[in-house]
């Protein structure tokens, strides 16, 4: 029988219903510790990427261990303010389309840095800094034009992508910004994408950023921060994976590319901290055959976990109580949503399952709940955080009243 830490999953399903997101606190903290250990020798701050899993309880947990945050919206800023006010001073704000209300809110809250993605945004930031009489610290998010193997929807470091400013144009932009009384050039940032498994693209991108830093020094412009972004990938299959080795190799790339610059390092991991700490627990509603295909229909759907539909992502799926050595058969595991894209796995070998059985969709802690929706007017799942033999409800299941609250008839 599958457990989260010491708690059997059937007990959690019985107490909280399904679909249910289950996270292990110890798992998240051990991933966090890997980065802290690997970078112990150099001044750094880990700015957890809130969008990977935005749960207030998780933000609070990480802030208590010293994390800052990487946010991409005013809503995420509000989450940090609500759950970890002191970490606002360690928060960086990325995003290609920051709106003026979001810029004002971040200036007033006193975030560490704006990661600015265009010349137009820089001008807007200066205007609002002046209006509020609050000088703005910024980094330019540069686009290093480095290729990293991942799904095209989550690759961001090529000129063809909408992200960042061309690294060759950055020097001029810093020079211009240095004339503004309201803009403080404090750092430089880069983020080349997500679910990147090879570590050398991180090094290659940072080498380019390091050259820029040296050019800026020649211009008399000394920065304080270098932000390596996030993006380190995890293993979603049951293949071998050594997270400590992955972090060590990643850190080695970053440390060697930035050696001698004397800057404070920021890193923005999201997925790596939380993906494998979480599972989506779901109950089989029905098993049906169409021709020679077998469909296992679950009470979780693409609105609860969209990664397979959106990125053709693979998630391992395990019966929670596996009959020992049962013969396996290929099935499609699908949700109840009215879309053919509503699947979790296709032609997946599973032992026979019956209505009422529990399945665990593994590695669902990142970009699961945070990408969920109410499509088909489905209330979103509850979330629980397990710590050893203790469990805490960190988000109650939505009700229909919750869904209708904003609507006017
Ligand atoms: C999404 C994002 C991250 C986190 O990426 P992961 O792959 O989850 O580590 C970090 N920084 C920025 C700017 C992002 O957009």
């Amino acid at each position: 029988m599958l457990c989260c830490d010491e708690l059997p999953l059937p007990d959690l399903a019985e107490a909280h219903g399904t679909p249910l997101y289950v996270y292990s606190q110890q798992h998240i903290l051990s991933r966090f510790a890997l980065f802290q250990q690997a970078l112990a020798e150099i001044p750094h701050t880990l700015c957890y990427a809130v969008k990977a899993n935005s749960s207030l309880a998780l933000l609070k947990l990480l802030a208590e261990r010293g994390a800052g945050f990487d946010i991409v919206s005013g809503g995420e800023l509000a989450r940090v303010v609500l759950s970890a006010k002191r970490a606002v001073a360690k928060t960086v704000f990325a995003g290609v389309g920051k709106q003026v209300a979001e810029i004002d809110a971040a200036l007033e809250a006193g975030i560490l840095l704006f990661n600015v993605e265009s010349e137009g945004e820089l001008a807007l930031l200066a205007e609002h800094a002046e209006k509020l009489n609050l000088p703005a610290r910024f980094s330019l998010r540069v686009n290093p034009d480095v290729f990293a193997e991942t799904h095209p929807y989550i690759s961001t470091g090529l000129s063809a992508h909408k992200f960042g400013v061309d690294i060759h144009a950055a020097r001029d932009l810093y020079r211009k910004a240095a004339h503004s009384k309201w803009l403080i050039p404090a750092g430089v940032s880069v983020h080349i994408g997500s679910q990147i498994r090879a570590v050398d693209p991180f090094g290659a991108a940072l080498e380019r950023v390091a050259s820029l830093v040296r050019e800026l020094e020649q211009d008399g412009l000394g920065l304080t921060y270098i932000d390596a972004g996030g993006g380190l990938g995890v293993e979603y299959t049951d293949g071998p994976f050594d997270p400590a080795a992955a972090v060590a190799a990643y850190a080695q790339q970053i440390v060697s590319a930035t050696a001698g610059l004397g800057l404070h390092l920021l890193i923005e991991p999201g997925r790596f901290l939380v993906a494998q700490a979480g599972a989506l627990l779901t109950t089989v509603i029905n098993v049906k055959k169409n021709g020679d295909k077998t469909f296992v229909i679950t009470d979780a759907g693409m609105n609860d976990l969209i990664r397979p539909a959106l990125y053709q992502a693979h998630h391992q799926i395990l019966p929670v109580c596996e009959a020992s050595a049962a013969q396996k058969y290929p099935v499609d595991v699908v949700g109840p949503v009215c879309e053919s894209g509503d699947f979790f796995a296709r032609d997946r070998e599973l032992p026979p399952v019956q209505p009422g059985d529990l399945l665990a969709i593994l590695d669902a802690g990142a970009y699961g709940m945070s990408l969920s929706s109410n499509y088909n007017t489905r209330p979103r799942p509850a979330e629980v955080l397990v710590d050893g033999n203790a469990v805490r409800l960190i988000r109650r299941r939505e009700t229909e009243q919750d869904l209708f609250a904003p609507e006017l008839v």
Side-chain angles (χ1 to χ4, degrees):
M1 185 188 309
L2 297 181
C3 292
C4 179
D5 291 2
E6 292 150 37
L7 295 182
L9 294 183
D11 294 358
L12 296 175
E14 185 165 335
H16 300 281
T18 60
L20 179 71
Y21 274 104
V22 180
Y23 309 116
S24 161
Q25 172 166 325
Q26 292 171 6
H27 193 284
I28 295 170
L29 294 179
S30 69
R31 288 289 170 95
F32 182 75
L34 289 181
F35 286 101
Q36 300 299 55
Q37 285 154 16
L39 297 170
E41 300 299 312
I42 58 166
H44 73 277
T45 306
L46 186 153
C47 296
Y48 167 68
V50 172
K51 74 179 188 291
N53 186 321
S54 327
S55 161
L56 294 174
L58 296 191
L59 302 187
K60 181 162 180 278
L61 177 74
L62 288 167
E64 283 166 359
R65 300 319 194 269
F69 296 102
D70 163 51
I71 57 169
V72 292
S73 72
E76 289 189 350
L77 173 64
R79 283 187 175 276
V80 174
V81 170
L82 199 62
S83 60
K85 198 152 203 316
R86 295 224 311 269
V88 171
K90 298 186 202 172
T91 293
V92 300
F93 188 1
V96 287
K98 298 182 191 73
Q99 299 176 45
V100 294
E102 296 176 317
I103 290 174
D104 287 353
L107 282 167
E108 281 169 341
I111 63 165
L112 178 64
L113 283 173
F114 287 83
N115 285 342
V116 170
E117 304 219 13
S118 67
E119 185 167 10
E121 188 192 324
L122 204 53
L124 196 63
L125 182 59
E127 186 188 318
H128 283 260
E130 179 168 11
K131 187 189 81 182
L132 297 178
N133 196 22
L134 292 168
R137 284 175 300 276
F138 77 94
S139 285
L140 285 185
R141 173 173 175 182
V142 298
N143 186 318
D145 200 23
V146 163
F147 176 75
E149 179 74 45
T150 186
H151 189 279
Y153 288 4
I154 49 176
S155 176
T156 59
L158 285 175
S159 313
H161 300 133
K162 68 179 175 181
F163 297 98
V165 301
D166 183 344
I167 192 160
H168 307 293
R171 191 173 181 180
D172 256 4
L173 280 183
Y174 276 109
R175 220 181 278 154
K176 278 189 202 161
H179 295 306
S180 163
K181 184 172 146 206
W182 298 101
L183 295 175
I184 304 167
V188 58
S189 84
V190 70
H191 172 72
I192 55 175
S194 194
Q195 184 51 16
I196 296 166
R197 294 298 306 279
V199 294
D200 24 315
F202 296 108
L206 274 182
E207 299 274 0
R208 293 184 185 192
V209 176
S211 314
L212 173 64
V213 170
R214 289 188 202 99
E215 286 171 12
L216 293 173
E217 260 167 26
Q218 288 165 19
D219 298 346
L221 215 153
L223 301 177
T224 309
Y225 299 98
I226 187 162
D227 183 341
L232 185 61
V234 300
E235 180 60 58
Y236 280 98
T237 74
D238 61 359
F241 181 54
D242 180 348
V247 172
Y250 169 80
Q252 199 262 322
Q253 288 281 327
I254 286 183
V255 169
S256 72
T258 59
L261 297 178
L263 300 186
H264 184 104
L265 174 70
L266 304 175
I267 56 167
E268 306 170 348
R271 183 192 311 271
F272 201 91
L273 294 182
V274 293
Q276 296 181 298
L280 177 59
L281 196 54
T282 181
T283 303
V284 174
I285 295 175
N286 199 356
V287 180
K288 85 177 211 180
K289 285 190 187 291
N290 274 355
D292 48 11
K293 277 199 85 85
T294 303
F295 293 95
V296 172
I297 303 166
T298 61
D299 66 355
M302 66 187 288
N303 70 296
D304 304 309
L305 175 63
I306 204 176
R307 298 190 67 259
L310 188 59
Y311 310 121
Q312 295 81 47
H314 178 95
H315 284 268
Q316 290 184 74
I317 302 177
L318 299 178
V320 168
C321 310
E322 195 172 352
S324 56
Q327 168 115 33
K328 293 184 177 174
Y329 302 90
V331 299
D332 283 16
V333 181
V334 302
V337 170
C338 301
E339 299 269 341
S340 293
D342 180 27
F343 63 87
F344 294 118
R346 288 183 158 149
D347 293 320
R348 185 70 61 84
E349 300 275 329
L350 280 188
V353 294
Q354 290 169 12
D357 286 358
L358 287 172
L359 298 176
I361 305 176
L362 303 190
D363 305 331
Y367 305 103
M369 189 62 174
S370 62
L371 267 168
S372 67
S373 78
N374 295 118
Y375 186 42
N376 279 207
T377 306
R378 287 167 49 83
R380 272 176 287 197
E383 294 173 291
V384 294
L385 184 61
V386 173
D387 183 16
N389 59 13
V391 59
R392 191 153 63 90
L393 183 66
I394 57 170
R395 181 183 167 114
R396 66 163 169 80
R397 188 172 303 285
E398 276 177 347
T399 64
E400 287 168 3
Q401 285 78 357
D402 291 330
L403 304 196
F404 304 150
E407 294 193 33
L408 308 169
V409 184

